[in-house]
Amino acid sequence: MAYNLLFLLSCIAFVSSSSHAYVYPPLVEGLSFTFYKATCPDLESIVRSYLEQLFQSDISVASGLLRLHFHDCFVQGCDGSILLDGSFSGPDEKDATPNLTLRPAAFKAINELQTLITQACGPVVSCADITALAARDSVRL
């Protein structure tokens, strides 16, 4: 459910590029813009700070993160499955033909973000949500 929220947030980033207060559209019941406020209050600043630093050395990762998020969400919703290495049900999604050109640097950035976030908050933030936040902030930055 939280990944639906973050997908919505990434869409909002396309519309709003300023840091001024934004009036958000009404949400579907069960979604919240403050889902991680209690469990990981620094989540958004962790993601933004990491990406700001990363983009100073390689701005092209921004498009890679947006594309990674798109490929994760494309077929059956945003579930983080694009990040999995192997499964019992078949080959990795990474090995599917449409995903072969996804940037390794984008996967690396998500892994590094997950490590930073887990160190700060514990294992409470889903990989799908991290991917959505990274895509949103990539567009914004």
Side-chain angles (χ1 to χ4, degrees), residues 96-124:
T97 302
N99 300 332
L100 291 175
T101 58
L102 293 174
R103 299 209 40 217
F107 286 106
K108 182 179 179 204
I110 297 299
N111 287 336
E112 290 176 357
L113 275 168
Q114 183 199 20
T115 299
L116 290 171
I117 292 165
T118 300
Q119 288 171 349
C121 305
V124 297

Side-chain angles (χ1 to χ4, degrees), residues 9-70:
L9 289 173
S10 66
C11 292
I12 291 169
F14 285 98
V15 177
S16 171
S17 62
S18 71
S19 61
H20 302 295
Y22 183 81
V23 177
Y24 294 104
L27 293 176
V28 174
E29 187 170 335
L31 296 182
S32 167
F33 285 107
T34 58
F35 186 81
Y36 291 110
K37 186 175 184 177
T39 57
C40 193
D42 295 327
L43 173 61
E44 293 195 37
S45 64
I46 292 168
V47 172
R48 187 173 36 258
S49 296
Y50 171 82
L51 293 178
E52 286 172 344
Q53 184 178 0
L54 176 63
F55 295 164
Q56 286 179 4
S57 61
D58 187 0
I59 190 63
S60 69
V61 178
S63 60
L65 287 166
L66 179 60
R67 191 160 175 253
L68 182 67
H69 179 60
F70 171 78

